Every structure is written in C-alpha cells, then in structure tokens.
Amino acid sequence: DMMKDVSGLKDMEKQVEAVLGISNVIIVSGDSDQYPLVKNEMGLACIREMEHYMNAENIIAVTGGTTLAAVAEMMYPLKKSRDLLFVSGRGGLGEQVENQANTICAKMATKAEGRYRLLHVPDQLSEESYQTLIEEPSIHEVLHLIHSATIVVHGIGDARTMALRRGSSQSLLTKIETGKAVAEAFGYFFDHCGKVIHKVKTIGLQLDNLYDDRTVIAVAGGKSKAKAIKAYFKEGPNSILVTDEGAAREILKL
Ligand code: BG6
C-alpha cells in the first residue's frame, strides 16, 4: 500500500545518504529513464527544497539540462514576501535552447515571480576570449551574482552522454575515454573516484563555488545516471540530492 511505499523510499533515502556520504537525499518513486514524467516529480521535490532553504533575499544560480528544464516546468509562484533573483550559472552550452541555463533561468524566474539575470557568453572559451570577457562589466556583474548565490541548483550527467550531446571534439572524447570519466557536472568531468579528468574552460559556476557556505541542490535521476551520481559525490560537496528510485536502487547495487 501507499504508506508502505513511502516508508520504503524513506529507508532507501537513508541508505543512499550513507553510501554517498551526504546528509540529505530525496527520492521520488519511479525511474525517469523509463517514464519522463518522473523528472517532473523530481522537479517538484527540488522546488520544495528550494522553498525550505529560502531567506528574505535569495540569489538562485541554475545550470541547464533536461532535468533542470523539468524544475522550471513545475515552478510556481514563490515570491510571497521574499526577494528572488535567479541567475544562470552557465552560458550557452552547445545544448538545444530549451536545455540551456539561460532559457531555464528565465522561465523559472518568470513562473516563480522573481527577477533574473542571464549570462550571455558561449560556454566554451579560448584562454584569450576568457580573459577579455571576464573584464566586461556586464559579465563581471553576473559572475559576482553567481559567486554570491545563496542557492545553487544543478544537474549531473553521464560523462559520455554529455560529451556527445554537446558535440565535443574528438580529442575531448578520447580524453574522457582514456581518463575513464563517468560523471559530468557544469563542465567538469569526473572519474569513478571523483577526480576531475577534464574541465571545460568556461565563465560561470565553478566547482569551488559549491564548497562555500550555501545551499546546493543536485537533481539527477534514472538508472543510467547511478554511476555518475556515485562518482560525483566521491569528492563532491555535501549537497542535497533529489533523485528517483531508478537511480537510487542502482546506486545501492553498485
Ligand atoms: C547540463 C549541466 O546542462 O545538464 C550539467 O550543466 C548536467 O551539469 C547536465 O550534467 C544534465 O543534463 P540532463 O539532461 O541529464 O538533466
């Protein structure tokens, strides 16, 4: 019955917390690999966590991906007496426009009845463009907001899936293969020990930003992401993880 199901997931949350070494895991039922609507349930669970950790003034940095797009899809007015500023943690990422951080950020903010600031830069940059762009006052300002974020919400992906989806070069694909990268998050590729194998030269959210004092919510589910989630949290920050049963069961099996 229903109550049993719920307490079953509660048990599983505790087990996954222990395996990943993090203090807050939320599991929704189902497997988003099989049923895409499960992503919307993760989206809702994520919004509830966001609400829980909100103060009077909030700067919320978001990344891209289909899972974050589901968070935006499910968003509802959160304004009440709170100040909400959403900021894109990433520029364009060679992703389809509906999966880009900027699109997701604007949609989330509009539905939550908050404000937003976007990051209008390509995601992958040469060293020279990076140095020039970072000095640009409008970009500098957005970067400052990202660094001041009180809440960060991001996705986690399977390394190879993400590299292919972003149309990465053959040399990057080779590097990922030889380095045995299994996880990807905001442009960083990690092996099964959580070691960074490659980092895309990018303006925006950096891994270091997640270790500072702020609320970090990772949203990732589906059996196919279990390895990636486990690898990411080997060295990853003590984030809140919103996931699904498909990923959770597999994490416990690995
Ligand atoms: C990207 C994020 O846009 O989405 C990554 O920057 C993440 O951190 C990826 O790995 C996940 O995508 P999806 O579609 O599986 O939610």
Side-chain angles (χ1 to χ4, degrees):
D1 63 300
M2 188 68 182
M3 287 313 286
K4 223 187 210 157
D5 268 19
V6 171
S7 72
L9 288 183
K10 289 276 159 227
D11 270 4
M12 211 188 292
E13 287 172 351
K14 297 282 160 265
Q15 293 173 44
V16 174
E17 284 164 8
V19 169
L20 300 182
I22 57 179
S23 35
N24 194 359
V25 172
I26 292 107
I27 303 174
V28 305
S29 60
D31 183 340
S32 53
D33 284 348
Q34 286 176 43
Y35 305 103
L37 280 179
V38 173
K39 265 188 196 169
N40 291 3
E41 293 302 317
M42 285 195 281
L44 264 186
C46 172
I47 297 163
R48 291 201 195 99
E49 291 307 306
M50 290 166 80
E51 278 194 277
H52 183 78
Y53 288 97
M54 271 176 190
N55 303 311
E57 288 180 13
N58 308 278
I59 302 174
I60 303 147
V62 300
T63 68
T66 57
T67 315
L68 266 289
V71 180
E73 184 63 34
M74 301 308 280
M75 189 53 83
Y76 45 79
L78 297 178
K79 185 108 173 61
K80 294 190 191 124
S81 54
R82 298 184 280 232
D83 189 54
L84 299 177
L85 175 59
F86 289 80
V87 58
S88 341
R90 307 302 303 263
L93 240 156
E95 296 243 35
Q96 283 181 288
V97 78
E98 62 272 27
N99 294 338
Q100 287 177 11
N102 280 333
T103 313
I104 290 167
C105 176
K107 183 171 176 179
M108 243 189 233
T110 306
K111 287 185 141 186
E113 296 176 356
R115 297 170 295 134
Y116 63 83
R117 289 298 308 272
L118 306 181
L119 187 55
H120 294 294
V121 291
D123 200 65
Q124 306 208 19
L125 295 169
S126 65
E127 188 63 43
E128 305 90 278
S129 328
Y130 176 86
Q131 292 305 339
T132 316
L133 279 173
I134 216 162
E135 302 297 330
E136 217 32 71
S138 64
I139 291 170
H140 201 84
E141 197 191 324
V142 181
L143 288 183
H144 180 72
L145 289 173
I146 294 172
H147 295 161
S148 321
T150 54
I151 300 180
V152 175
V153 189
H154 71 89
I156 301 170
D158 168 72
R160 199 176 146 73
T161 309
M162 290 311 298
L164 291 173
R165 193 166 98 190
R166 289 181 189 150
S168 309
S169 65
Q170 188 54 52
S171 74
L172 179 54
L173 290 173
T174 309
K175 190 173 175 189
I176 285 167
E177 202 127 305
T178 43
K180 297 195 170 64
V182 290
E184 187 279 345
F186 35 86
Y188 290 74
F189 288 88
F190 307 87
D191 71 6
H192 77 285
C193 301
K195 196 177 119 210
V196 177
I197 294 298
H198 177 78
K199 175 190 178 309
V200 176
K201 184 84 192 168
T202 173
I203 287 186
L205 192 67
Q206 308 294 321
L207 189 55
D208 287 348
N209 299 145
L210 304 194
Y211 289 89
D212 303 336
D213 181 29
R214 68 194 65 195
T215 302
V216 181
I217 309 176
V219 200
K223 187 180 174 191
S224 61
K225 281 193 187 179
K227 256 197 196 130
I229 295 168
K230 199 167 181 182
Y232 173 76
F233 281 110
K234 278 275 153 68
E235 296 278 328
N238 187 4
S239 323
I240 298 158
L241 170 66
V242 177
T243 189
D244 63 17
E245 213 184 324
R249 286 193 189 285
E250 190 67 15
I251 287 169
L252 296 177
K253 264 193 234 157
L254 287 175

